[in-house]
Amino acid sequence: AAAAAGMEELRGRRDELARLIQGEEEERGRLQGQIWALTERLARANESLARKVAARNDFDRTIAETEAAYGKILESSQTLLSVLKGETGNSSKATEPKSTSKEKQADGQKHS
């Protein structure tokens, strides 16, 4: 009878342990499912981030190229303006009416 009681106690402890094992296996399964779901979300977030970083880099490159081109346009415009001002100055000197000798004589008489 004592042996049978001892065996019954061992079976009870084993059954309790089996229930604990089953509960932990279920928890492990839930955690693995959450890890899988989070891993999927992480992969999607990484892909989205990579696309956005690539797009931002494209914007940065386009902005830099546009700024460089704009700078060259400004520089060319300034050069062209300087050339035009120089030529305008030269052409106005060339087209200024020269005083005739009679005007020079008249000017000379005014001062005397």
Side-chain angles (χ1 to χ4, degrees):
M7 290 296 289
E8 193 58 36
E9 184 182 335
L10 288 175
R11 284 190 182 104
R13 290 165 105 183
R14 182 201 63 197
D15 291 347
E16 177 60 23
L17 196 52
R19 280 192 297 278
L20 292 173
I21 289 170
Q22 182 179 356
E24 287 189 15
E25 286 175 342
E26 289 170 359
E27 175 67 7
R28 182 179 66 182
R30 280 191 298 276
L31 291 172
Q32 284 177 334
Q34 290 173 356
I35 289 170
W36 180 83
L38 289 172
T39 301
E40 286 295 306
R41 284 176 57 190
L42 180 60
R44 286 193 302 273
N46 283 336
E47 290 169 8
S48 176
L49 182 60
R51 283 192 304 273
K52 285 178 175 73
V53 167
R56 184 193 60 195
N57 292 342
D58 285 345
F59 278 119
D60 287 343
R61 185 174 50 256
T62 301
I63 289 167
E65 290 171 357
T66 303
E67 286 175 341
Y70 182 70
K72 288 179 182 175
I73 290 170
L74 280 179
E75 188 180 322
S76 297
S77 297
Q78 291 298 324
T79 303
L80 182 59
L81 232 113
S82 297
V83 168
L84 286 174
K85 282 181 181 177
E87 287 183 5
T88 304
N90 289 340
S91 66
S92 67
K93 288 179 186 173
T95 58
E96 282 179 4
K98 296 183 179 174
S99 352
T100 62
S101 53
K102 288 182 184 175
E103 288 174 338
K104 285 182 183 175
Q105 287 174 353
D107 283 345
Q109 289 174 357
K110 288 179 187 170
H111 294 294
S112 17

